[in-house]
Structures are given as C-alpha cells and as structure tokens.
Amino acid sequence: MYFTHADEVWSAHRNLRALTATVTGVTSAATDEALLTGLAERIERRQSSAAEAEMPEIAAWRETFSRMGLKPTQYRCASEALLRRYRKEKNLPSFHPLVDYLNHVSMAYAIPIAVFDTEKIGAGITVRPATGTEEYQTFQGTVENPEPGEIVFAGPDGHAHSRRWTFRQSARSVVSQDTASVLIVAEAHHAAAAEDLAGMEAELKDGLATLGVVLGASTILTETHRRLDF
C-alpha cells in the first residue's frame, strides 16, 4: 500500500510537509484520560493566546484554501473546525479511543490529522486534483462527485476519501470499532511545518504506545521524499 501527493499538488504548494504513519492493533486501543487531560490543557493555552485565524498553522491553511478558490471562512481545514468547536463547547463527543486522541493532538498542534481504515482504502491514496468522476460517501449515506480540479484523497478504485483536501473526510474509510489498522496523515504549510511535524511524530510514538496500539512505519514527506509505502 502507499500514500503520496501528485506532482500537481507539490507544484502548487511548495511549503507542504506531511507526516504519515501506520498503526496496527487498533482494536486494542483504550482511552487514557490523563493523556487527553494533558492535551486539553495545551489546547486551552493555545486558545487563550490567539484566535484560530491568528495561529500560523491555521493561517497557512486558510491561504492554501484561498489559492484553491475556496472561501476559507466557509471551508475550514479540519484542525480549525475542531478548535472552533472546542472553544465553544470545551469538549468533543467521543468516537473511538484512537480518534479521540488524534483529535486532541490535532488541536494541540493546530494541524489537521486524517486517519483512514487501511482495509477501506484499497491499494493506497494519492492526494490529487479530482477528475469529477470519483465517488465520495457522505455521513448521511449519499454519494457525491467532487468538482473537477478539487483536491481529494483519491484511491485507484475511484473513491474519494476526502473533499476539499482537509475539509471533510469520507464516511467510507473512517475508523470504527472493527478497525484493525490505520493510516495517519498530518499536513501543514506554515514556516515551521517540518519542525512541528517532527515533534508530533515523537509525541505520537509515546502517546500511541500509551493507548496500547503499535506504531509502524512513519516518515515526513517533502517535495524530494514524496511517498510512504507500507
């Protein structure tokens, strides 16, 4: 299996950096409240010092969305959406021990993190402009076709596992109680992206072990190192 970005994405977004990692033993994942509490404290400190739009990680994604012709206040990257919801509610609903943990990590770093059930993504994923023929499964049970040129997480089988890049993931490949292994992808465009993603990678190694799951291959993708095979 593989994860990569198409040449068109790298050409248009030179500052892109991506942390990719695989995790197995997901059915054994268990919530660690102390871990979540520590992350929640970091999120509170981050939000007390700046509004989401002022965070460099979010500002870079807003600029990226603008370059794609999207209104950044209408379509928000996943980390901004989480942070805005958390600011209002001071809590998030629980979905799955691994997903809950990664949502907190995403907010702590203000970097969007996608997590895919590897059994649902076929041979792999390429982040690329859509042709318009891909099928995206909504959480309401309907099927949409992305706009031609829209950036999607695409499988070779014609499925789009996200729409508008990091705006929304497909219901097809989300983590469930039966998920055994996952692919994690965190992407950033801000000036300190490489350093922050390296810090996230180190944090995930400890945090995932605390949850009782196994971190497999992990690497940070750049314009000269574009692909993870696993």
Side-chain angles (χ1 to χ4, degrees):
M1 301 179 74
Y2 63 87
F3 177 86
T4 190
H5 295 80
D7 292 345
E8 299 96 317
V9 174
W10 288 109
S11 296
H13 306 282
R14 298 286 186 179
N15 295 326
L16 172 64
R17 298 293 181 269
L19 169 62
T20 57
T22 60
V23 176
T24 58
V26 176
T27 53
S28 300
T31 299
D32 187 290
E33 293 296 343
L35 193 61
L36 296 183
T37 297
L39 288 166
E41 291 171 354
R42 288 165 54 186
I43 296 163
E44 293 281 355
R45 291 195 296 271
R46 173 180 279 276
Q47 291 190 317
S48 67
S49 63
E52 284 72 31
E54 298 169 351
M55 299 175 186
E57 304 89 347
I58 301 298
W61 267 110
R62 284 189 169 207
E63 181 182 349
T64 297
F65 274 40
S66 293
R67 289 203 305 272
M68 294 190 295
L70 302 173
K71 293 182 179 180
T73 55
Q74 180 179 2
Y75 300 107
R76 305 181 190 275
C77 74
S79 55
E80 180 179 3
L82 285 171
L83 283 164
R84 288 170 61 85
R85 182 172 182 176
Y86 191 85
R87 186 184 289 275
K88 293 178 181 179
E89 301 177 9
K90 299 303 179 185
N91 197 9
L92 293 176
S94 178
F95 295 103
H96 182 282
L98 177 61
V99 175
D100 298 346
Y101 167 67
L102 292 175
N103 281 344
H104 279 71
V105 173
S106 175
M107 291 188 290
Y109 284 84
I111 294 174
I113 298 176
V115 54
F116 304 94
D117 185 327
T118 57
E119 291 187 3
K120 304 296 178 60
I121 61 174
I125 287 176
T126 301
V127 182
R128 61 166 174 79
T131 64
T133 62
E134 298 87 357
E135 293 188 349
Y136 169 87
Q137 295 184 14
T138 73
F139 285 87
Q140 291 72 43
T142 59
V143 174
E144 299 175 349
N145 298 113
E147 295 291 331
E150 176 186 328
I151 301 298
V152 296
F153 280 61
D157 52 2
H159 291 288
H161 298 281
S162 78
R163 288 207 61 185
R164 301 178 182 90
W165 204 338
T166 55
F167 170 64
R168 184 165 294 157
Q169 188 171 337
S170 167
R172 176 181 177 82
S173 49
V174 296
V175 175
S176 71
Q177 297 302 317
D178 298 324
T179 299
S181 61
V182 302
L183 169 68
I184 296 171
V185 180
E187 297 165 294
H189 301 264
H190 62 290
E195 295 85 351
D196 290 345
L197 289 171
M200 181 187 288
E201 183 178 28
E203 178 152 345
L204 290 179
K205 288 179 180 178
D206 292 335
L208 293 171
T210 301
L211 295 186
V213 300
V214 180
L215 178 65
S218 67
T219 190
I220 294 177
L221 303 183
T222 66
E223 193 169 4
T224 58
H225 174 55
R226 301 186 178 188
R227 182 177 171 115
L228 171 71
D229 290 288
F230 58 98

